[in-house]
Amino acid sequence: MTDNGVEVVNVPTMDYQLTVGAIARRAEALFGGRPVVARRGDGELHRTTWSAVLRRARQLARALRRLGVGPGDRVATLCWNHDRHVEAYFAIPLLGAVLHTLNLRLRPEELASIARHAEDRAVIVDASLLPLLAWFRERAGFQDVIVIGGDAAPADGLDYETLLAAETDGPLDAPEPGEWDAAAMCHTSGTTGRAKGVVYSHRALVLHSMATAMAGSFGISAADTVLAVIPMFHANAWGLPYTAALTGAALVLPGQRLDPASLLELSARERVSFSAGVPTVWLGVLERLDACPGQYDLGALRTIVIGGAAAPESLVRGLEERHGIPVLTSWGMTELAPVGTLGRLTPEGEALPTAERRALRMKAGAPGALLELRVRNEAGEVPWDGTTMGELEVRGAYVAAGYWRPEAGGGEFTADGWFRTGDIATIDGHGWLEIRDRTKDLVKSGGEWISSVALEGALMSHQAVLEAAVIAAPHPRWGERPLAAVVLREGRTATAAELLAFLGERFPRWWLPDEVVFVDAIPRTSTGKFSKSALRASLKLGGARPGGAG
Ligand code: ADP
């Protein structure tokens, strides 16, 4: 009782630490028998369970401990999506060490610099990726190299299975990490500049998994079979291994077979109910489905999430209307663990007239739980009117508070504690986010902004267009003008004039590209997005632009 008679209740709940260990305990206690199915390096499908994966994760943790890995040490992985990679996802944080996923699509010199930046102590690598590792192993300075698959005794590395076989299942000889300790680390894919190191606390990973498991988000439960198409080296596969374990969902991992036919066969065979990936993957899947109607039984598939880049409307509608596959759009960033918003309609949204509902669904959607958005321009915070653009800022329970050993400069965090995303966006009256562009991809023509995302989406809705990317070309009078690079569908034709006329029905004249160039393919980034910097370089427009590294 205080002086004024108010009762003080200051021990309301237990101090239960939100750690990866808590996820593992729950999965083992309740969902141990649920399947984990993975395509391993030999191409065979390996069937196991959450219980076996987590037991082996503890064995791996003990083995790492024996090698001298301790709390706070960074342990890298250079692996495709498979069950042993999931073991590492749990083993390393269980030990209090930091899982650092390396992006196997990067160049060796980038990998060397990222591994050195993190000061990775050891690396767990797929045997099939040893030739890639050989290019940067010396420069990265790993003390231990642990090899998955291949020969039992690699010449200058430790065999993963031999290490595990030497360990019994027992308690770890290491202090339990706390929820604020670092559990994982991931470098941004560096689409617009140098890769930056993002560190996730145990707490952030747990809260992100809780938020994405919610019915208004991915809505994952023990009734689901989750296919992680998004690579485990890209922002923790959007948290899917942890979310599947937390909820008891079965987990399916495609290994290195990421071509549309393999993904579709796997989805049909395992009766996948949920999957997630970047638009370029689903563009390929849609093409395959269109080419082979009725070949794959996807009856169990209730949701695919398309995120990481803007989903063209033609893709969403093609999957939904021609193949009955429900799509959720999503915006996210490595810095957010990474899922930020989800385009899941509320009942009021569902009740809107078709055209309005469609337009709303194509937006990036509403923020996940424990995440807040605001948009600011030179005049301050913009109103939620769906039209005023500015830079998107976020704060929340799983947003990075800074970068790992940042370079001088920074500026990504505001004085009042929000993260500046570098994305140009609007927020509408429902609180729904629409990404209009990245600051570095916007075309600034005569002082006005032209959205490359909007032009690309429209071009890809033309029946002859397979892929399109719009970039800024320098212009003596206007500063910049849009240039469209287009890949035509096989057997289809369209002239530049036809495509411009098509765009002319949708956009003001001054938005229309000055030039349409036809190319064989749009270059991809290491995470499978369209790479505008590579496209600019290939069209001799210069890889970097003033005011931005992209
Ligand atoms: P990188 O910045 O190197 O591409 P990320 O994978 O973290 O690394 O990408 C985050 C960026 O991807 C966002 O800042 C945004 O520009 C883009 N992005 C993600 N989701 C969407 C989306 N739904 N629509 C448009 N852009 C998106």
Side-chain angles (χ1 to χ4, degrees):
M1 241 13 129
T2 60
D3 291 349
N4 57 10
V6 178
E7 192 178 354
V8 176
V9 184
N10 61 3
V11 192
T13 43
M14 287 184 182
D15 175 14
Y16 183 85
Q17 294 287 298
L18 306 181
T19 60
V20 170
I23 297 181
R25 287 196 302 276
R26 176 175 166 81
E28 270 198 296
L30 299 174
F31 313 121
R34 297 281 291 144
V36 174
V37 180
R39 193 174 305 279
R40 287 185 166 178
D42 55 9
E44 293 298 309
L45 273 188
H46 176 75
R47 294 184 175 277
T48 180
T49 58
W50 273 116
S51 147
V53 164
L54 293 165
R55 177 176 42 75
R56 284 168 52 85
R58 274 197 307 277
Q59 283 172 264
L60 173 60
R62 283 161 65 87
L64 290 170
R65 180 96 190 102
R66 199 181 295 276
L67 290 174
V69 174
D73 285 343
R74 271 78 62 203
V75 178
T77 58
L78 187 64
C79 300
W80 296 97
N81 288 15
H82 51 60
D83 54 312
R84 278 113 143 204
H85 203 178
V86 178
E87 289 164 9
Y89 258 52
F90 282 90
I92 297 165
L94 282 178
L95 191 59
V98 184
L99 163 78
H100 182 210
T101 49
L102 294 177
N103 180 342
L104 52 85
R105 297 199 199 277
L106 293 177
R107 294 195 312 273
E109 50 275 27
E110 292 171 303
L111 285 164
S113 118
I114 285 172
R116 264 206 321 271
H117 184 227
E119 290 183 17
D120 291 328
R121 191 185 182 288
V123 63
I124 300 176
V125 56
D126 282 348
S128 62
L129 295 168
L130 281 170
L132 170 63
L133 181 70
W135 282 98
F136 71 97
R137 179 179 172 161
E138 285 305 315
R139 279 174 288 166
F142 303 115
Q143 286 183 44
D144 294 300
V145 174
I146 301 168
V147 184
I148 294 177
D151 291 338
D156 45 3
L158 303 158
D159 174 55
Y160 185 89
E161 289 300 331
T162 310
L163 278 182
L164 259 67
E167 300 296 332
T168 51
D169 191 8
L172 293 175
D173 172 27
E176 277 218 7
E179 63 179 18
W180 291 105
D181 290 339
M185 176 173 188
C186 183
H187 276 71
T188 60
S189 53
T191 306
T192 56
R194 252 185 102 117
K196 293 179 227 156
V198 177
V199 179
Y200 308 105
S201 64
H202 282 259
R203 185 176 189 272
L205 294 180
V206 171
L207 292 175
H208 177 267
S209 284
M210 300 271 303
T212 50
M214 285 170 64
S217 179
F218 290 173
I220 292 178
S221 76
D224 277 307
T225 298
V226 171
L227 171 66
V229 174
I230 188 78
M232 290 172 71
F233 57 73
H234 185 199
N236 300 328
W238 300 354
L240 289 176
Y242 296 126
T243 309
L246 182 75
T247 57
L251 184 62
V252 180
L253 302 152
Q256 79 187 82
R257 289 214 202 142
L258 294 168
D259 59 287
S262 301
L263 291 176
L264 284 164
E265 272 158 34
L266 190 59
S267 301
R269 181 177 333 165
E270 299 302 323
R271 302 204 52 72
V272 165
S273 63
F274 177 96
S275 189
V278 294
T280 45
V281 168
W282 301 120
L283 281 168
V285 164
L286 177 60
E287 228 198 336
R288 174 88 192 167
L289 286 171
D290 283 342
C292 323
Q295 186 171 329
Y296 305 99
D297 174 7
L298 301 176
L301 196 53
R302 65 164 179 81
T303 302
I304 62 166
V305 177
I306 307 185
E313 184 168 0
S314 51
L315 171 64
V316 176
R317 291 187 60 179
L319 288 166
E320 293 198 332
E321 291 168 14
R322 294 202 292 281
H323 304 286
I325 300 173
V327 171
L328 266 182
T329 55
S330 173
W331 166 88
M333 289 185 82
T334 306
E335 288 84 343
L336 272 67
V339 178
T341 65
L342 255 294
R344 195 183 280 286
L345 291 180
T346 57
E348 292 74 24
E350 292 286 4
L352 289 171
T354 311
E356 269 179 67
R357 194 179 64 236
R358 270 202 195 125
L360 190 59
R361 287 221 32 225
M362 287 314 302
K363 296 189 174 188
L370 311 179
L371 204 66
E372 295 173 43
L373 311 179
R374 73 179 184 192
V375 169
R376 289 200 308 159
N377 62 19
E378 316 76 54
E381 197 172 337
V382 310
W384 287 18
D385 59 8
T387 55
T388 315
M389 289 196 263
E391 185 179 1
L392 173 65
E393 298 178 354
V394 294
R395 70 173 179 191
Y398 35 91
V399 182
Y403 290 104
W404 168 262
R405 298 187 183 160
E407 284 178 24
E412 295 90 349
F413 297 88
T414 66
D416 61 344
W418 291 68
F419 166 60
R420 296 181 55 190
T421 64
D423 284 341
I424 300 298
T426 63
I427 303 181
D428 68 16
H430 306 280
W432 275 47
L433 176 72
E434 184 173 13
I435 301 288
R436 295 291 180 91
D437 229 321
R438 299 186 111 171
T439 25
K440 297 182 181 84
D441 290 341
L442 269 176
V443 183
K444 290 179 202 109
S445 172
E448 298 285 342
W449 285 350
I450 297 175
S451 165
S452 64
V453 172
L455 290 171
E456 288 158 6
L459 279 168
M460 283 189 270
S461 71
H462 188 282
Q463 52 178 357
V465 176
L466 182 64
E467 296 174 359
V470 171
I471 53 178
H475 189 279
R477 174 155 179 219
W478 301 112
E480 290 176 348
R481 290 291 303 150
L483 176 153
V486 168
V487 182
L488 290 177
R489 286 182 191 281
E490 232 181 280
R492 296 291 179 94
T493 52
T495 62
E498 278 163 19
L499 293 178
L500 290 174
F502 182 75
L503 289 178
E505 292 163 19
R506 293 161 179 76
F507 298 103
R509 271 187 67 84
W510 64 274
W511 271 51
L512 304 190
D514 279 9
E515 207 180 333
V516 177
V517 293
F518 294 94
V519 294
D520 293 336
I522 308 281
R524 306 285 204 256
T525 69
S526 61
T527 47
K529 306 181 193 183
F530 291 151
S531 172
K532 296 200 180 177
S533 51
L535 181 65
R536 270 196 281 275
S538 73
L539 296 175
K540 310 260 182 310
L541 296 172
R545 295 166 63 199

